[in-house]
Amino acid sequence: VSTQSTWGLQVEVFPPIELSSKKDMFAQVSKLWDSETVDSVNARLREIEIANENMLDEKFKEDKTSFMVKFISSAAYCRYWKFVQTLNSSVEGKPLNKLQQLYNEHLQSPQLSPQPFSPSISILLQLLDSIDQSIQDHPPLSPSLPSSTSSSSSSSQIPSTTDPPQSLSSPSTSTFRFGNPMYRQFLSNLPNVYNSSLDTLFSHVSPEKLQEKNANSGCCSHERSNEQSQPHSHNHGNDTKHSLSKLQNDVKGYLQESFGNIRRIDYGTGHEMNFLCFLYCLHDLGLFGSCEYDLQAIGLLVFRRYIHLVRKLQMTYWIEPAGSRGVWGLDDYHFLPFLFGSSQLIGHQYIRPRSVRYEEIYNGFYEDYLYLDQIRFLMTVKTCSFAEHSPLLNDITVVKSWRQVNEGLQRMYEGEVLGKYPIVQHFIFSSFLPQDAVREVNQSDLKHLHNTETPCCSDSIRFPSAIAARSQLQ
């Protein structure tokens, strides 16, 4: 009997049959009906399945379109993209070694005036160092050992981000092709690691900036309206404390989501985006940007330290790439190292886009340029030739100049990251990055919606880590 369910989906009602498995179902159905009846029922079920899929697809496309219109027209989109472009411009033509040398001199002589770096830069680096150290407290589970003894026996097996390929093989994750469960404990413990550093950061926020943020924050409009209707119900100190707590929660939300998903054990460009949102929040609070080299330090020193930390997580816990497009993506996990790294190489006297294919180039200059650092890492973990495992990066090598590469990567980031629903569907709107519409969306901004895509968080499709694949081969 064909009928309609509550949601409008067609379903088939069969006589009740007690079943213990799908095999029993087909066996009992075969006894009740002859082969022609079974074939007709299967054909009818397939028709209903296709009709339901089409209806759900149309509903999904409608919801997806409305969300993308909201996101692309929002203040969050404009502020975030402007911040990425600002960092991209700040590192143009800047090798990392000179900035690192200047930062080391700053640490040795912190009383120099004017200060080349804000205090927040060193606090951010210390925060990332402390998260790195917490990996040692949560070593990957070993299938051959009970979980209670794995912490004492596996801690020495955590690899380094600079290790050669043979060091990537670790027996502690040999049966966790799609991610080690200890990664969940690592993420759960993160607030205990970064809370003290964030408290130190927020202690540097000026009262004037906090008051300005509280006045301009859309999320606090409800509290302000209540305050106006009941002017004597709260004192100013409590209001300031409440607004500071709300801002801290927003910042912590972005930082927590910067290291992957605790349920799916995966990481992708959406999580990388969250870290940039975290940095934007600190910039919006005035914690850096006032000193001469702050933006360079964020784009190179802090971001590079973050990339190496996430890389260590990938190698330790075999994290899945979130929504990987395989060889048809720029990279399984990251995008911004290529964007900022190509900006660094603009105007370089000797290194051209075609030079990155040569081992002596990326091995000789990876410490100074993010682009070459990421290329070197890909060569380390991938098993086939550069043209086979990274065809898009290989195609970029025929471009004549790094400025053309950088401009193309900016357009690609807008279309392939900020313009893709599977990536931005989990975007966190906040008082720093609100969803208030600030511009109109053209049809050209939504052209990506005509492509068929698989949501990045689909539980039915899993993408194993290339690091795990190589380790298993070894």
Side-chain angles (χ1 to χ4, degrees), residues 139-141 173 176 178-186 262 265 317:
L141 291 177
T173 51
F176 300 117
F178 295 98
N180 194 287
M182 186 58 77
Y183 175 69
R184 294 191 174 103
Q185 292 191 21
F186 164 79
I262 192 171
I265 314 183
Y317 301 112

Side-chain angles (χ1 to χ4, degrees), residues 14 31 56 68 72 84 102 135 164 185 299 318 343 353 355 361 365 395 411 442 444:
F14 295 99
K31 294 177 182 178
L56 291 175
M68 291 306 300
I72 295 176
V84 171
L102 184 63
I135 300 177
Q185 292 191 21
W318 289 7
S343 181
S355 306
I361 295 297
F365 297 92
D395 291 344
R411 293 192 295 269
N442 300 322
S444 59

